[in-house]
Amino acid sequence: MGLGPRSPHKAGRRLPAGSKRGRGAKGSGRAPPGRRQQPRQFPDGRSEPALDAYPHLSPEALGYFRRALSALKEAPETGEERELMVNNILKEVESQALALATNRTGSEMLQELLGFSPLKPLCRVWAALRPNFRFVACHRCGVHVMQSALLQLPRLLGSPAEKEEEKEEAGKAGTLETLEELVLGLAAEVCDDFLFYCGDTHGSFVVRTLLQVLGGALLESDRAKPRGSQSSEAQRAPARECKPAEFEVPEAFLNCLQDLSSCFLKDIAVFITDKISSFCLQVALQILHRKLPQCCARLCNAVIGYLSTRNSSADGSPLLLFLRDQTSSRLLEQVLLVSDPPRLQSLFKDHLQGQLQTLAAHPIANFPLQRLLDAVTTPELLSPVFEELSPALEAILAQGHPGVVVALVGACRRVGAHQAKVLQLLLEAFHCAEPASRQVACVPLFATLMAYEVYYGLMEEEGSEPAEHQEEVAAARALGEVTVLGSLLLQHLLHFSNPGLILRSLSALTGPQLLALAQSPAGSHVLDAILTSPSVSRKQRRRVLQTLKGQYVALACSRHGSRVLDAIWSGAALGARKEIAAELGEQNQELIRDPFGHHVARNVALTTFLKRREAWEQQQSAVAKRRRALNSILED
């Protein structure tokens, strides 16, 4: 979901002690520690079977499904034979669906099989699991099967062939429920015990996927296979708003989504303070923001309203306390991202004004502050925010929170205000504003997020005059390691209305230094910005890129550099293409043997260039002509 890693706690972890649904609390569906769990009594009088009553998958059955899945992968992608094979395998799955779903290996195979499944077999498997939905949804393996079933909806709901099959089935007596009915039935089950599912370590994943499916929008992290936990690097990933993959859903789905959004309002305190439940509310805000904005606004108002009534902080609004909390701060990040400009303005004025530098210095609160800056779209909000933060840029960098500075620069780029001022402040923060000769060194400093003295290893006494920039020393030094945030900073600056200083600094780099920038995973995107920024003229672009002459072969034989060279080639004029091809042609055999270089050689049509120059020039002239025609159409 982009909201942090799966909880490392064991299955069965519930809300913390002291909350409404603590471990062993009434209605939690889980027995207290040290006691054997008894069968659960449902409201309609049915009893959930004891754990021993659930079927187990035999080694023979596991072997059969493993062989069947392997054969299915080798079969042709279309045709009657494949269709018959899929239906036969899923017919066997239907009788052992529960055993497969709750077996580690079996659940992995079942997820793959559901990805191949037509509509009717999927509905039959779903119906087979439905009597034990609670158990499957809260099982460490079964949860992924339920997610996989839900994630088939974009494929099956939009298929005309599947719709026709559903109509035929609907005309028969005693047939299965339609896919739409199965989804709505699952939603009703979740709605009946909403706190339980949202608070369960595994069940919450089903809730989050269900919210996306009902809204017809899959968030980026759920488009891939829903197995496995996220890397440790993502543990505090920014809750940036990501563009979802959208698909059409029935009106009944949106009505159901609205009903589920109302469930959050009933126990808003739990969803704000509990780590697991909070993830569900964060996903709901992202989906509602696009599909049901009024419901989204109502939830945002409920969150801010609740937090604003808590005990007041000694230094201002009670909201400040929650901005420093690991769980509620993540939720507030999402609230900031989905809030419209008037609400953002109100939040800033009522709760945050005068506290931004304090928030920027806090190890947790600086993240919501970054999201506030990401959401700024008006000069009316940017101006007071900039006025408050700008005097502290160097202190914020020294505290190890460069993300705040990058987000502020991004807001200046987006709004188109305070650009010259923030660039001057950056030069001062990195100690390259004075003397003026140091300014040409700003790109390597920004890219590595190092002050001038640190980058060049100078020992300057406090109060002494800063030394002049030594071009010979700078040229002899290899480019330092480019950071992700440093790359983002340079990309924003290259999109400023006047990126002249950044371009002059880039032009001052030596060929090996610019090559190192292009070969860096993060730095290669700086070259992308040079090629795509509307503020960079063709002449300025050519002046920077000509430094790469003599480096094209090394560029082509690099994972990230080859992508940069492809982008340079795509926008190059015929004359520049001849120069690139001629240089690459001198090392043709080396390129062909390299795993990245041979793709560049093919893209450049290097063999044709070396053996049939005239035909190559005609081909490239035709490509350039088509590109000019396309550009003129797009510009019109």
Side-chain angles (χ1 to χ4, degrees), residues 83-343:
E83 186 178 341
L84 182 62
M85 185 183 296
V86 169
N87 280 284
N88 286 341
I89 295 172
L90 289 170
K91 187 68 176 175
E92 294 297 325
V93 167
E94 186 183 337
S95 62
Q96 301 194 59
L98 183 59
L100 272 168
T102 53
N103 176 278
R104 180 175 179 178
T105 304
S107 71
E108 293 175 5
M109 292 190 291
L110 183 50
Q111 290 172 66
E112 290 195 67
L113 287 169
L114 291 177
F116 298 127
S117 178
L119 177 63
K120 185 164 63 173
L122 176 73
C123 289
R124 292 190 182 280
V125 172
W126 192 318
L129 292 173
R130 186 171 179 176
N132 299 290
F133 166 68
R134 176 186 293 266
F135 177 70
V136 175
C138 298
H139 189 277
R140 62 189 178 90
C141 300
V143 56
H144 301 305
V145 172
M146 294 306 306
Q147 282 186 286
S148 291
L150 286 166
L151 291 173
Q152 304 312 311
L153 263 76
R155 172 174 65 89
L156 297 176
L157 284 176
S159 169
E162 304 295 358
K163 288 180 179 178
E164 190 63 33
E165 182 182 342
E166 195 170 58
K167 288 179 182 177
E168 292 176 6
E169 282 294 305
K172 300 176 185 177
T175 55
L176 284 170
E177 292 178 285
T178 65
L179 184 60
E180 180 179 336
E181 291 169 340
L182 287 167
V183 174
L184 293 175
L186 187 154
E189 170 92 15
V190 168
C191 198
D192 286 343
D193 206 350
F194 196 62
L195 271 182
F196 170 79
Y197 286 107
C198 290
D200 185 86
T201 303
H202 305 302
S204 65
F205 280 85
V206 174
V207 178
R208 289 178 242 173
T209 309
L210 177 63
L211 289 166
Q212 296 171 65
V213 166
L214 291 174
L218 294 183
L219 301 179
E220 188 173 2
S221 59
D222 271 351
R223 298 176 205 171
K225 192 176 180 181
R227 291 184 56 247
S229 59
Q230 300 176 28
S231 67
S232 59
E233 294 178 0
Q235 289 189 12
R236 185 64 210 201
R240 296 185 190 275
E241 194 173 25
C242 58
K243 186 173 178 60
E246 299 192 6
F247 57 98
E248 291 294 324
V249 293
E251 188 66 28
F253 278 23
L254 293 177
N255 293 335
C256 187
L257 178 63
Q258 186 170 352
D259 292 340
L260 284 177
S261 71
S262 299
C263 294
F264 289 106
L265 295 171
K266 297 174 184 176
D267 296 280
I268 195 68
V270 175
F271 293 103
I272 291 173
T273 56
D274 179 68
K275 179 180 178 180
I276 305 300
S277 302
S278 177
F279 287 151
C280 296
L281 180 51
Q282 292 172 54
V283 170
L285 288 173
Q286 294 179 67
I287 302 302
L288 292 170
H289 176 56
R290 289 172 174 82
K291 299 296 182 174
L292 299 171
Q294 290 184 336
C295 292
C296 180
R298 191 158 55 246
L299 280 180
C300 289
N301 289 337
V303 170
I304 299 301
Y306 173 82
L307 296 179
S308 300
T309 60
R310 300 302 94 191
N311 294 331
S312 295
S313 163
D315 54 355
S317 165
L319 201 66
L320 298 173
L321 293 173
F322 294 94
L323 286 168
R324 300 182 179 104
D325 176 73
Q326 185 76 36
T327 298
S328 56
S329 67
R330 286 184 177 237
L331 177 59
L332 285 168
E333 288 180 44
Q334 203 58 60
V335 169
L336 291 167
L337 284 173
V338 301
S339 295
D340 55 20
R343 183 178 288 106

Side-chain angles (χ1 to χ4, degrees), residues 411-464:
C412 294
R413 166 193 169 181
R414 191 167 51 252
V415 178
H418 307 288
Q419 293 183 356
K421 178 65 174 174
V422 79
L423 177 56
Q424 179 61 33
L425 291 169
L426 285 171
L427 295 174
E428 294 172 5
F430 284 87
H431 302 172
C432 60
E434 296 293 340
S437 59
R438 286 190 175 191
Q439 294 183 9
V440 77
C442 66
V443 162
L445 305 183
F446 293 167
T448 57
L449 294 179
M450 292 184 185
Y452 187 91
E453 298 84 2
V454 177
Y455 186 82
Y456 289 106
L458 302 180
M459 299 295 291
E460 293 186 348
E461 295 182 8
E462 189 175 349
S464 63

